[in-house]
């Protein structure tokens, strides 16, 4: 008889556990990563029951499919904690805006450049907007394009434009996304690490 805690199904779309596994044969890995060999899913489930653990299908594409004996409730709890921590460390990006005019002077250009770099370093996107204040300024698109190019080149170390700059009404605009910070990549990697390790076992 299964213990009372197994009366409730604990599964995800990616993983089947216990009675949900109906493969004819499975390769079984023990809770300490030891290879237990190939057997029927019923035999594997009995071994998990005797250890008061769960049988989890971790590689359904294997030939035969691979199962692991583990405490699935504990695994999901720890995985959930890691994912929650990773989400907490990921700042929700905002869209900041930098506005310039065609005749911007060097000091203003550098000030706005420093603001854009600060926003990008904080993980925010930045909309760069060059405003044509008068309709006749539209005849100076070459100046506008050069100014945008200078700005994008200056922030290239910190972010890059999602798409080429374009004219919308009297605004010439580009949106710059920050380069992924190593710490953010590491947080995401840690959140996924355990699941990836499961799928490597065959």
């Amino acid at each position: 008889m299964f213990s009372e805690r197994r009366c409730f199904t604990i599964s995800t779309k990616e993983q089947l556990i216990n009675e949900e596994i109906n493969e004819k044969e499975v390769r079984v890995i023990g809770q300490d990563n030891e290879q237990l060999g190939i057997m029927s899913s019923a035999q594997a489930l009995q071994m998990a029951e005797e250890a008061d653990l769960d049988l989890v299908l971790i590689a359904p594409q294997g030939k035969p499919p691979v199962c692991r004996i583990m405490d699935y409730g504990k695994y999901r709890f720890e995985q959930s904690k890691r994912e929650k921590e990773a989400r907490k460390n990921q700042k929700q990006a905002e869209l900041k805006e930098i506005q310039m005019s065609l005749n911007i002077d060097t000091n203003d250009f550098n000030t706005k450049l420093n603001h854009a770099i600060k926003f990008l370093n904080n993980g925010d996107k930045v909309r760069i907007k060059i405003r044509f204040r008068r309709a006749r300024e539209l005849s100076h698109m070459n100046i506008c394009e050069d100014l945008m190019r200078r700005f994008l080149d200056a922030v290239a170390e910190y972010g890059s434009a999602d798409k080429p700059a374009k004219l919308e009404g009297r605004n010439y605009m580009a949106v710059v996304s920050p380069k992924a910070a190593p710490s953010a990549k590491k947080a995401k990697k840690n959140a996924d690490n355990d699941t990836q390790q499961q799928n490597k076992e065959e």
Side-chain angles (χ1 to χ4, degrees):
M1 296 289 292
F2 286 100
S3 61
E4 185 177 350
R5 70 184 183 88
R6 283 196 176 79
C7 292
F8 300 94
T9 299
I10 307 174
S11 64
T12 67
K13 291 181 179 179
E14 295 80 18
Q15 291 175 312
L16 301 179
I17 72 166
N18 299 330
E19 296 92 341
E20 298 173 340
I21 304 169
N22 55 13
E23 302 290 344
K24 184 177 180 180
E25 285 187 332
V26 293
R27 185 184 303 277
V28 182
I29 299 172
Q31 58 180 315
D32 295 320
N33 293 328
E34 69 272 25
Q35 296 287 336
L36 301 181
I38 297 173
M39 63 189 74
S40 69
S41 57
Q43 288 175 302
L45 188 55
Q46 183 177 357
M47 292 182 67
E49 174 194 357
E50 291 172 352
D52 197 29
L53 295 170
D54 300 293
L55 184 69
V56 182
L57 183 63
I58 62 172
Q61 75 281 4
K63 296 186 183 299
V66 182
C67 292
R68 170 171 286 175
I69 294 174
M70 67 168 76
D71 185 336
Y72 190 66
K74 180 179 179 181
Y75 161 73
R76 287 294 297 160
F77 175 74
E78 292 177 348
Q79 185 183 53
S80 177
K81 283 178 60 179
R82 284 192 294 271
E83 291 172 350
K84 183 177 180 180
E85 186 66 23
R87 287 194 297 270
K88 186 171 66 174
N89 292 334
Q90 291 175 347
K91 177 181 178 291
Q92 185 66 38
E94 297 180 16
L95 180 61
K96 303 292 186 178
E97 186 169 286
I98 298 292
Q99 293 192 42
M100 297 184 289
S101 61
L102 286 182
N103 58 354
I104 187 171
D105 62 34
T106 301
N107 287 336
D108 283 346
F109 179 91
N110 290 334
T111 297
K112 292 180 183 296
L113 177 62
N114 289 333
H115 287 162
I117 291 173
K118 179 181 178 181
F119 294 147
L120 292 169
N121 281 336
N122 284 339
D124 296 319
K125 288 189 173 187
V126 180
R127 180 192 288 124
I128 312 302
K129 180 189 291 185
I130 301 175
R131 173 73 173 168
F132 292 98
R133 296 180 179 176
R134 292 174 290 276
R136 65 182 182 180
E137 291 183 343
L138 289 168
S139 62
H140 301 295
M141 273 303 296
N142 59 324
I143 299 176
C144 179
E145 291 170 351
D146 287 344
L147 177 59
M148 180 66 78
R149 190 177 303 111
R150 281 175 53 209
F151 202 94
L152 293 178
D153 287 346
V155 300
E157 181 181 348
Y158 310 94
S160 58
D162 295 344
K163 298 178 181 178
K166 64 178 180 179
L167 183 65
E168 294 185 6
R170 291 191 179 184
N171 298 311
Y172 187 63
M173 298 187 297
V175 175
V176 179
S177 292
K179 291 186 176 180
S183 57
K185 289 182 178 179
K186 184 176 180 181
K188 184 179 186 303
K189 181 178 179 181
N190 289 340
D192 297 336
N193 200 24
D194 203 64
T195 299
Q196 292 173 349
Q197 182 179 354
Q198 301 290 332
N199 293 330
K200 287 180 182 178
E201 298 284 353
E202 291 196 16

